[in-house]
Amino acid sequence: NAGVTQTPKFRILKIGQSMTLQCTQDMNHNYMYWYRQDPGMGLKLIYYSVGAGITDKGEVPNGYNVSRSTTEDFPLRLELAAPSQTSVYFCASSPPSSGGAYEQYFGPGTRLTVT
Amino acid sequence: AQSVTQLGSHVSVSEGALVLLRCNYSSSVPPYLFWYVQYPNQGLQLLLKYTSAATLVKGINGFEAEFKKSETSFHLTKPSAHMSDAAEYFCAVRPTQGAQKLVFGQGTRLTINP
């Protein structure tokens, strides 16, 4: 099992450019998440998905879009990059709750700089 | 809404000393609680979790945490710090019902002095 994989590891964007951050998990998890991590701020939820075809906004969704066409993949799209989107982005997945406290499994992160 | 507060953004201890990282949660009912560790330039890794089965929870690498409902706390401890424990630690809360979303604290960076 590779777990949760993210590409790219690093990226520098110019203001106004677009890009897609890729996330794939091979654990057949229903739930997938995108977070951003800024220094001293912890992790903030951007979007999440409870299964293929179903997505919902998290705490900080503005400037981002997601889609979930398969169980394995959950790409995050930045349409018009802004300096405020400079951050480290983490993808995570977890199995369905079913009354259990299933933890989230995290990818290694993508470090994005917008200049 | 649920929230988590980690007291101290930076904690520094000597090697061999007790590690205590504080976490308080805000919730009307006891939630699920988690501690994650993040080593430099890596993703988050689960240390331990509270699921109401036992108030004292043991995790990996010698860490443990105690759930105290009366204090709404879930502090993380390790009796003897090791240099390899240097990392950032995050406390997180999730409701036992409803959406399976975590709310994270702001993190505590642990430094170990030789």
Side-chain angles (χ1 to χ4, degrees):
Chain A
N1 270 359
V4 180
T5 57
Q6 293 183 239
T7 57
K9 285 186 168 52
F10 304 95
R11 184 73 185 267
I12 298 175
L13 279 184
K14 294 189 185 304
I15 294 171
Q17 286 186 322
S18 301
M19 77 164 295
T20 299
L21 282 65
Q22 302 291 345
C23 174
T24 300
Q25 54 91 9
D26 62 0
M27 298 174 282
N28 201 32
H29 286 169
N30 288 33
Y31 284 77
M32 295 188 74
Y33 311 81
W34 274 106
Y35 295 91
R36 59 176 289 170
Q37 183 183 27
D38 300 301
M41 301 294 290
L43 279 75
K44 302 292 185 186
L45 183 64
I46 304 172
Y47 272 96
Y48 69 103
S49 169
V50 303
I54 307 170
T55 63
D56 205 351
K57 296 178 181 179
E59 191 178 355
V60 289
N62 291 345
Y64 307 95
N65 277 300
V66 293
S67 59
R68 183 101 179 267
S69 56
T70 67
T71 298
E72 295 77 21
D73 301 305
F74 190 41
L76 178 71
R77 179 83 177 159
L78 283 70
E79 291 294 349
L80 292 170
S84 61
Q85 294 177 305
T86 293
S87 188
V88 182
Y89 292 85
F90 288 101
C91 179
S93 71
S94 71
S97 179
S98 301
Y102 295 107
E103 66 266 29
Q104 294 181 14
Y105 296 79
F106 285 79
T110 294
R111 187 175 296 274
L112 176 67
T113 302
V114 182
T115 62
Chain B
Q2 295 188 331
S3 65
V4 171
T5 301
Q6 291 183 240
L7 298 176
S9 58
H10 193 186
V11 171
S12 182
V13 303
S14 299
E15 191 174 17
L18 171 72
V19 174
L20 171 61
L21 304 182
R22 299 177 189 274
C23 172
N24 288 88
Y25 68 91
S26 171
S27 176
S28 57
V29 296
Y32 294 133
L33 292 155
F34 304 80
W35 275 100
Y36 282 86
V37 60
Q38 184 182 32
Y39 298 104
N41 300 313
Q42 294 188 24
L44 276 70
Q45 177 185 357
L46 182 73
L47 269 180
L48 50 81
K49 63 183 179 183
Y50 168 74
T51 63
S52 76
T55 56
L56 183 62
V57 181
K58 295 188 183 299
I60 62 172
N61 301 339
F63 284 93
E64 62 182 37
E66 186 172 8
F67 173 74
K68 291 187 177 180
K69 183 179 177 181
S70 60
E71 299 177 7
T72 59
S73 68
F74 191 55
H75 302 331
L76 181 71
T77 60
K78 182 173 180 177
S80 177
H82 192 273
M83 295 300 290
S84 61
D85 295 328
E88 188 147 21
Y89 292 79
F90 293 94
C91 184
V93 62
R94 204 206 93 195
T96 57
Q97 302 293 331
Q100 196 169 317
K101 296 185 290 184
L102 288 177
V103 175
F104 284 87
Q106 70 272 36
T108 297
R109 183 167 298 280
L110 177 64
T111 302
I112 312 297
N113 302 312

